Amino acid sequence: MLALTDANFSIKCGGSRMISDGIEFEAENTTLGPATFNVTSTQKWAVSNVGMFADRENQEYKQTVLSQVRSTNNPELYQTSRLSPGSLRYYGLGLENGLYTVNLFFAETGFPDRSTQTWKSLARRVFDVYIQGTRQLTDFDISKAGGGVERAVTRNFTANVTENHLEIHLFWAGKGTCCTPEQGYYGPSISAINVVPNFKPTVSGMPPGTRKEKNRTDLIVGIIIPLAVLALILTLAIIYVKTRKEDDDEEVILRKRTFLFSSKREVVDTKHLVILHTL
């Protein structure tokens, strides 16, 4: 009989390997880009990111802070987090089919608390969370759920694995603020993930054999292709929005110039009338 730890997995999102409450969280601190898919060395899980932070010079997809997060005995777990401007997915690979408990760990560390009464404290991060394609959290606001910023928030779900893989999807649907505390600051954020089977496993999370490896490869290929398509769609959407904005700006400038020209024309006509009247 296999141990329970052979079939579960835990991820320290955006950070290094660490142990918290007896749980070993694997490191997930590789560099992600606007269209990235990474499989961990253990091949038990993978992470993907799609999207670019609009009008943001520093395209950084993780965040590190030194603040002491409250409402937890392990504030270090929340000092790093993974960020995404659009779509952030985590996959459990090669899992035995059955029910699993999915534990998600959050803390808002990107902006100050409302009690500071600063303009930066008006920021709001809002996103949706899907488990196995079903939306479990709608318009999720970490600071609102925790009663303020720098407070630990945990959400637990039961997921049914039927095809040997699990998908956790964090998605920004365009809600919340976008330019506070800096330009292009928005999208989902998560500190850690822990997934545990609700049954006694009979196979490990890393099934051996050529046939299993082929199935895993097919799964990974099936994940990468839709991600590439989604990345293309998001890129085109960003270009469209920026083009519309530039067109609107040009129209405003044109209107201003037309107004100024009309005003100057009226002044000239008035002067001519005054001169003629004098004559």
Side-chain angles (χ1 to χ4, degrees):
M1 181 65 67
L2 295 171
L4 191 64
T5 53
D6 291 330
N8 65 5
F9 63 93
S10 302
I11 307 170
K12 179 62 202 82
C13 306
S16 304
R17 172 190 173 276
M18 68 174 298
I19 297 177
S20 177
D21 288 334
I23 301 172
E24 180 179 350
F25 290 85
E26 295 184 53
E28 191 274 284
N29 54 2
T30 56
T31 301
L32 297 185
T36 306
F37 179 79
N38 286 334
V39 181
T40 182
S41 59
T42 61
Q43 297 188 20
K44 294 179 67 175
W45 55 269
V47 57
S48 77
N49 172 70
V50 175
M52 293 182 63
F53 292 101
D55 301 321
R56 185 174 178 181
E57 294 182 1
N58 180 20
Q59 295 290 325
E60 184 66 40
Y61 295 91
K62 62 181 179 179
Q63 181 166 281
T64 302
V65 297
L66 298 177
S67 55
Q68 293 296 308
V69 174
R70 291 167 283 179
S71 303
T72 177
N73 295 324
N74 299 281
E76 295 83 5
L77 185 67
Y78 301 90
Q79 290 181 339
T80 60
S81 55
R82 177 62 74 185
L83 307 176
S84 173
S87 175
L88 179 64
R89 284 182 168 94
Y90 287 91
Y91 300 92
L93 304 175
L95 300 177
E96 182 174 358
N97 291 337
L99 297 178
Y100 288 75
T101 296
V102 179
N103 304 301
L104 307 181
F105 302 84
F106 305 93
E108 184 52 72
T109 59
F111 40 83
D113 194 78
R114 279 290 181 94
S115 61
T116 62
Q117 296 184 346
T118 62
W119 67 271
K120 290 184 178 181
S121 68
L122 300 176
R124 280 293 174 267
R125 186 193 308 279
V126 179
F127 58 95
D128 299 336
V129 177
Y130 295 79
I131 307 291
Q132 295 295 72
T134 301
R135 185 163 55 186
Q136 301 289 349
L137 295 175
T138 303
D139 296 342
F140 181 56
D141 182 333
I142 302 173
S143 61
K144 183 178 180 179
V149 303
E150 297 181 357
R151 289 176 170 84
V153 177
T154 305
R155 290 293 182 265
N156 315 107
F157 309 96
T158 298
N160 186 22
V161 173
T162 59
E163 297 181 355
N164 304 112
H165 73 276
L166 172 69
E167 180 187 271
I168 302 166
H169 185 197
L170 287 71
F171 180 73
W172 181 63
K175 298 181 180 180
T177 54
C178 67
C179 309
T180 306
E182 62 179 301
Q183 191 74 15
Y185 192 85
Y186 55 89
S189 169
I190 187 168
S191 298
I193 296 172
N194 170 242
V195 177
V196 182
N198 295 352
F199 56 90
K200 292 183 179 180
T202 59
V203 297
S204 72
M206 296 176 60
T210 304
R211 181 174 177 274
K212 294 290 186 180
E213 290 300 324
K214 182 179 184 302
N215 290 341
R216 189 188 303 274
T217 302
D218 292 342
L219 172 61
I220 292 173
V221 171
I223 291 171
I224 291 177
I225 293 175
L227 287 177
V229 174
L230 180 58
L232 178 61
I233 293 173
L234 287 176
T235 301
L236 293 175
I238 291 173
I239 294 173
Y240 173 75
V241 170
K242 294 189 74 173
T243 303
R244 283 291 302 274
K245 183 177 183 300
E246 291 173 357
D247 291 342
D248 292 341
D249 291 342
E250 290 178 1
E251 184 177 353
V252 170
I253 293 172
L254 181 60
R255 288 178 178 176
K256 287 182 178 179
R257 288 178 177 175
T258 302
F259 173 76
L260 290 174
F261 177 78
S262 300
S263 299
K264 290 180 179 179
R265 184 63 180 271
E266 290 176 3
V267 171
V268 172
D269 291 343
T270 302
K271 288 183 178 179
H272 286 168
L273 289 173
V274 171
I275 294 172
L276 292 173
H277 179 74
T278 304
L279 294 175

